[in-house]
Amino acid sequence: MSRYTPSSPSRRSLPRHIAVRAAFARGVSLCLLAGLFTSLPAQALSLLDENPELNAPAETSAGAPPPPSPPDTVDTTMTAANVDPAANPLLGETWNRRSLVLVAPDEQDRELERQRDELRATRGEMQQRDVTLYTLMGTRGIHDGVPMSFEEVRALRDAMQLREGAPFTVILIGKDGGKKMQLEGFVAPDQIYQVIDSMPMRQREAGEATRQTSSGSEEHTSPAPLDDEDWQWDE
């Protein structure tokens, strides 16, 4: 009876074992690499979420993206193109009152102060002649003690073609809306009244007042004088 003796592995079986082990190692490596690559997008997204600066658009060959444009600004400059002529306060004076317009570069103008002082002393004469006072000082204005709006000042300047910064000027407007006098510098009140008294309409007014007084049908009385503060700029 013979004894079985296991034979040693043949040389042909050794490469097969090595090939299996190598294939297994490659499979494990591929799985590890696949897991690594699949985890990268999630990490990249988490970095973008945590750091907002990374979300900024990238520069291209044309350069960085242009900065945002500044907000539109509102132009508050009133020009002749957008001045409303209806805002001119002299339109309401036509056939009602005469207008004396004092135009000065600013409120501290010395000739303006002198003109005001002289007119205060004769304010009764002005009211007898139905004269209302406008004072323009740069972009500001006042009408018989009441501040004017910016639109009224610009419309009045535009209608009379008055430029800002011009020297002190005295302008007289008749009841018909026409310009009767325009002089630079201080003008004596008596000179203003002489111009008014030479107007045909004023002469008719004076004649009617004289006839009414002489006939006794109606006594002519002068209107009450204005208070001094009505002739001053109200801050």
Side-chain angles (χ1 to χ4, degrees), residues 19 79 110 119 158 173 210:
T79 61
R110 293 184 178 181
L119 291 175
D158 183 64
I173 305 296
T210 301

Short mmCIF file of all heavy atoms in Angstrom, two decimals, residues 19 79 110 119 158 173 210:
data_model
loop_
_atom_site.label_atom_id
_atom_site.label_comp_id
_atom_site.label_asym_id
_atom_site.label_seq_id
_atom_site.Cartn_x
_atom_site.Cartn_y
_atom_site.Cartn_z
N ALA A 19 -0.79 37.56 -9.67
CA ALA A 19 -1.68 38.38 -10.50
C ALA A 19 -2.96 38.72 -9.75
O ALA A 19 -3.49 39.82 -9.84
CB ALA A 19 -1.98 37.64 -11.81
N THR A 79 -32.28 126.28 -14.53
CA THR A 79 -31.79 126.99 -15.71
C THR A 79 -32.96 127.61 -16.45
O THR A 79 -34.13 127.33 -16.17
CB THR A 79 -31.03 126.03 -16.63
OG1 THR A 79 -31.93 125.00 -17.06
CG2 THR A 79 -29.85 125.39 -15.90
N ARG A 110 -23.88 147.33 0.25
CA ARG A 110 -24.06 148.63 0.93
C ARG A 110 -25.09 149.50 0.22
O ARG A 110 -25.87 150.21 0.87
CB ARG A 110 -22.72 149.36 1.01
CG ARG A 110 -21.70 148.67 1.93
CD ARG A 110 -20.43 149.48 2.06
NE ARG A 110 -19.49 148.86 2.97
CZ ARG A 110 -18.30 149.37 3.28
NH1 ARG A 110 -17.90 150.53 2.71
NH2 ARG A 110 -17.50 148.75 4.12
N LEU A 119 -36.04 154.31 1.26
CA LEU A 119 -37.41 153.95 0.93
C LEU A 119 -38.28 153.82 2.19
O LEU A 119 -39.48 154.12 2.15
CB LEU A 119 -37.44 152.64 0.14
CG LEU A 119 -36.86 152.70 -1.28
CD1 LEU A 119 -36.83 151.31 -1.90
CD2 LEU A 119 -37.68 153.66 -2.14
N ASP A 158 -35.38 135.48 -14.88
CA ASP A 158 -35.42 135.08 -16.28
C ASP A 158 -36.28 136.04 -17.10
O ASP A 158 -35.92 136.41 -18.22
CB ASP A 158 -35.96 133.65 -16.39
CG ASP A 158 -35.97 133.15 -17.82
OD1 ASP A 158 -34.88 133.02 -18.41
OD2 ASP A 158 -37.06 132.89 -18.34
N ILE A 173 -41.26 148.83 -12.67
CA ILE A 173 -42.20 148.20 -13.60
C ILE A 173 -43.55 148.89 -13.44
O ILE A 173 -44.07 149.04 -12.33
CB ILE A 173 -42.35 146.69 -13.32
CG1 ILE A 173 -40.97 146.01 -13.34
CG2 ILE A 173 -43.28 146.04 -14.31
CD1 ILE A 173 -40.28 146.05 -14.67
N THR A 210 -58.15 164.00 -7.12
CA THR A 210 -58.37 165.42 -6.87
C THR A 210 -59.84 165.78 -7.07
O THR A 210 -60.43 166.52 -6.28
CB THR A 210 -57.48 166.25 -7.81
OG1 THR A 210 -56.11 165.92 -7.59
CG2 THR A 210 -57.70 167.73 -7.55
#
